[in-house]
Amino acid sequence: MANPFEYAPAPESRSIVDVAPSYGLFVDGEFVDGSGETLKTVNPATEEVLSEVAVGTEADVDRAVRAARRAYTRVWGPMRPADRGKYLFRIARILQERAREFAVLESLDNGKPIRESRDVDVPLAAAHFFHHAGWADKLAYAGLGPDPRPHGVAGQVIPWNFPLLMLAWKVAPALATGNTVVLKPAETTPLTALLFAQVCQQADLPPGVVNVVTGAGETGRAVVEHADVDKVAFTGSTEVGRSIARAVAGTRKVLTLELGGKAANIVFDDAPVDQAVEGIVRGIFFNQGHVCCAGSRLLVQESVHDEVIASLQRRIGTLRVGDPLDKNTDIGAINSHQQLERIRELVGIGEAEGAQRWQPACDLPDRGYWFPPTVFTDVSPAHRIARDEVFGPVLSVLTFRTPDEAVAKANNTTYGLSAGVWTEKGSRILAIADRLRAGVVWANTFNQFDPTSPFGGYKQSGYGREGGRQGLAAYLKGASH
Amino acid sequence: MTHVLDPGTLAAGTRPGPGPGTAFDDVTRSDAALRAFLHGLPGVDQVGAEQRAATLGTRSIKTTAKAWAIDTAISMVDLTTLEGADTPGRVRSLAAKARRPDPADPTAPAVAAVCVYGDLAGVAREALAGTGIRVAAVATAFPSGRASREVKLADVRDAVGNGADEIDMVIDRGAFLSGRYLEVFEEIVAVKEACGGAHLKVILETGELVTYDNARRASWLAMLAGADFVKTSTGKISPAATLPVCLVMLEAVRDFRAATGRQVGVKPAGGIRTTKDAVKHLVLVNETVGADWLSPDWFRLGASSLLNDLLLQRQKLRTGHYSGPDHVSVD
């Protein structure tokens, strides 16, 4: 029977956003032409070119770093901390006022559903600025020493999965602690960072405090390797993170890395099943699975495996995949062709290794980059889909029989960013969380973020924390957390 | 355009229940067995359930979907008057409204039922003769349920004798909360028997049961005892119908059908006053149990003032402008 309650299209209007045909770099408070090539940024849902942005060269990066140094020495460093806080509050308020604009632009450039950019990315980004604005004049009371000092110029390279939110995670603590910033947004998602640059102008932020240099890998390398950068912060792949660690080794630069993950989401037989299924869905299909802390390994107790998988499949069948700007869309587009290829490759490997692939009956748009939600059962811990980060909507299901086995399997990964535990038994939550080697452990929930809560990983998931009191330490000299 | 990946999946109902298809007789053999069964149902995480309901509440229902939802919601309304001051005149007036909710627009559907106290069921029966609109009567010492079983059963027989097609009974919350599950079960079984051919809606009064775990257990208890519908509230206790409690009850009827093959309806009642609330409930039904429940046979909205808001929104959708309270009839 056809469903009589077919939701009519409910697209968010894109007229609220003014996308310029081309963008320069934001250096020293102004938009300036880059001295090199340009790159095109596309809407991954349609492959339509949205705009052309400059590719920052070494010379461009050098100009930006010099502007940041000047601003640090002359204005931002000496400024009264309470005044720095005022700027951050102002930025936070503007982000809220222009929330719809940011949400629409983020969904256009990234492919994520508007429901998520509207309800998660943008409000959280504003929350990070509010949170850190409050810290600006209270750093002496953060337990990080009596008079913690900033590093100076921070070079920050961020990923494409949460373009504005990762910007906020980087820029807000850096500014609150008195550093100035040269930010390199991801190659495929530069637009909200450029809109943020406009917000900096609107907030009358002193020139040079925030500089945005767009580009690809080479531009990022120039930021990281610039001799006058004091602090490097990177979020992205473990592979690039390693090369950055190598580049920074032996210099006086301070480094924080937030890299990949292969989180275990552990479901015990006494879990609240319906909410656990929601949590599994949220864990792996939120943001198309482009989440470093995604719950990509489901560890389910054998005695409830069939029941949980049946519920999960039924629930996945109700997910709405399609136009990211439609307010009822649950799953949007894969961010780039390159990422889509990687997902396809790993899914192919999963099948070749003998895991059972399941996808709901699926009808995807013809244009754009799309991948259906995918569940692999009969996965062994030796399979690559149980070890490699897919960074897409692909869930690997493994089973366990005892709590010890659950912990052993959960920790059997080169990563250690996040994990989830589902059980109605409080004592078990505490006991298991204590033994999981992961920076974040969620209990009976997943993928919840808050600026007051530190986020970061163990092992190949990186080092340093973002958010909370611990996150401030990353931007202050001699502060340990 | 956005589309549901696989609209058939909700109908599949593959989840095995906590026991084999017809062997539920076994769980009601003793108080201990029933207690073990009800407490063995998967728990409900309060934060998670509320978050899920809130997320579904953000669905954007526009144009054709909204028009369908409004008409469907009207056809699901149990138009209710349960006041001490009710009179035959008031019931007749409500019946007239039930037959033709919008006097200016004959295309507006009729409601599902008129819900009254048992002594007025006969008046409603007469006023609704030949319309297909059902007469629902509350019984079993509604709303508190504090009377001896004989009185409750007599109440039911009286309402059925007066012509009620549907009986809305209340469970003994005192017995439920003190763990005397078998007593509650046996009472529902007895009421079901007294109903004869009338449909039985079992009111859980979730506002007094308080937890979602209790709402799930009470739903199963009522279904095991033969309920045709599980209903949230009397409307006399706050909170009455909320989205998360309705979600939990929908999950229960979904799982019960998967386990037994028998489909049970759901009726949120009390506190649903706006079109927006009603549409949110329909979204909840659509995405939790699917199209099989999207009809007045399986989903009802117990309400009084809701109907006028649905009619105003319906007029707005057709004419493009809001009219005002004088363009719908007062109850």
Side-chain angles (χ1 to χ4, degrees), chain B residues 21 56 61 149 151 164 167 213 224 233 284 295 298 327:
Chain B
L56 285 175
I61 305 303
R149 187 166 303 169
V151 172
I167 296 296
D213 285 330
L224 290 170
S233 329
L284 208 60
S295 90
W298 302 109
H327 294 259

Side-chain angles (χ1 to χ4, degrees), chain A residues 3 7 274 328-329 361 363 448, chain B residues 2-3 5 60 216 254 286:
Chain A
N3 190 334
Y7 302 162
D274 288 301
N328 293 325
T329 292
D363 197 14
Q448 296 285 351
Chain B
T2 304
H3 46 266
L5 283 183
S60 183
R216 171 170 288 175
R254 177 197 69 196
N286 191 34

Side-chain angles (χ1 to χ4, degrees), chain B residues 93-119:
Chain B
S93 139
L94 209 63
K97 179 152 183 160
R99 304 166 75 133
R100 184 137 173 205
D102 189 341
D105 185 353
T107 66
V111 304
V114 168
C115 183
V116 295
Y117 273 109
D119 62 329

Side-chain angles (χ1 to χ4, degrees), chain B:
Chain B
M1 123 161 210
T2 304
H3 46 266
V4 174
L5 283 183
D6 186 355
T9 49
L10 281 178
T14 46
R15 178 173 166 191
T22 51
F24 283 119
D25 291 349
D26 203 38
V27 305
T28 54
R29 71 181 185 274
S30 71
D31 228 341
L34 185 53
R35 181 184 173 80
F37 172 76
L38 293 176
H39 285 255
L41 292 168
V44 184
D45 184 78
Q46 182 183 339
V47 175
E50 289 173 356
Q51 191 173 36
R52 172 68 178 148
T55 304
L56 285 175
T58 68
R59 289 294 194 214
S60 183
I61 305 303
K62 301 288 182 205
T63 60
T64 51
K66 188 173 185 182
W68 184 88
I70 289 174
D71 278 8
T72 304
I74 293 173
S75 75
M76 289 171 166
V77 166
D78 277 8
L79 196 59
T80 303
T81 184
L82 295 169
E83 304 296 332
D86 284 346
T87 57
R90 166 146 175 86
V91 171
R92 278 189 212 103
S93 139
L94 209 63
K97 179 152 183 160
R99 304 166 75 133
R100 184 137 173 205
D102 189 341
D105 185 353
T107 66
V111 304
V114 168
C115 183
V116 295
Y117 273 109
D119 62 329
L120 291 166
V123 179
R125 167 88 284 152
E126 204 175 300
L128 292 169
T131 60
I133 298 168
R134 324 258 293 173
V135 175
V138 296
T140 68
F142 180 95
S144 71
R146 294 259 62 87
S148 66
R149 187 166 303 169
E150 270 323 300
V151 172
K152 292 183 189 179
L153 294 177
D155 194 10
V156 172
R157 286 188 207 101
D158 178 58
V160 173
N162 288 341
D165 307 298
E166 302 175 352
I167 296 296
D168 289 25
M169 73 168 285
V170 290
I171 65 165
D172 184 342
R173 283 88 76 190
F176 184 92
L177 288 171
S178 60
R180 287 176 277 131
Y181 297 127
L182 200 57
E183 196 178 314
V184 182
F185 173 84
E186 282 165 353
E187 186 164 286
I188 300 171
V189 170
V191 170
K192 173 75 181 166
E193 202 186 315
C195 280
H199 271 226
L200 176 63
K201 304 199 198 93
V202 177
I203 302 173
L204 311 179
E205 195 65 300
T206 52
E208 288 186 343
L209 302 186
V210 179
T211 68
Y212 297 126
D213 285 330
N214 277 344
R216 171 170 288 175
R217 288 171 190 151
S219 299
W220 273 87
L221 180 64
M223 292 186 291
L224 290 170
D228 297 301
F229 260 77
V230 285
K231 175 175 169 184
T232 60
S233 329
T234 59
K236 306 292 185 194
I237 295 284
S238 182
T242 65
L243 280 178
V245 96
C246 190
L247 171 70
V248 168
M249 289 167 66
L250 286 165
E251 287 165 354
V253 299
R254 177 197 69 196
D255 294 347
F256 186 79
R257 186 179 74 170
T260 66
R262 188 165 83 83
Q263 186 166 340
V264 174
V266 176
K267 177 179 172 185
I272 305 170
R273 293 195 180 85
T274 65
T275 300
K276 214 168 207 169
D277 287 342
V279 172
K280 282 179 186 179
H281 276 89
L282 292 185
V283 166
L284 208 60
V285 173
N286 191 34
E287 300 202 30
T288 309
V289 291
D292 289 359
W293 268 266
L294 279 173
S295 90
D297 292 338
W298 302 109
F299 195 73
R300 296 278 182 85
L301 297 160
S304 42
S305 60
L306 169 67
L307 182 57
N308 272 350
D309 193 61
L310 286 166
L311 294 171
L312 283 172
Q313 291 295 333
R314 194 174 185 277
Q315 290 172 1
K316 156 74 169 59
L317 216 53
R318 299 190 151 222
T319 62
H321 58 266
Y322 284 102
S323 44
D326 290 343
H327 294 259
V328 289
S329 59
V330 292
D331 298 330

Side-chain angles (χ1 to χ4, degrees), chain A residues 71-116:
Chain A
Y72 173 69
T73 317
R74 295 183 191 167
V75 189
W76 200 248
M79 186 182 285
R80 278 195 335 126
D83 288 335
R84 286 203 301 262
K86 278 201 286 194
Y87 283 105
L88 289 172
F89 276 121
R90 200 181 288 167
I91 290 171
R93 282 195 301 270
I94 296 172
L95 283 177
Q96 287 187 323
E97 281 159 16
R98 300 177 71 172
R100 227 159 64 117
E101 200 177 339
F102 272 102
V104 171
L105 188 60
E106 198 76 308
S107 285
L108 279 175
D109 203 17
N110 171 278
K112 66 175 67 201
I114 187 79
R115 183 164 69 77
E116 289 178 6

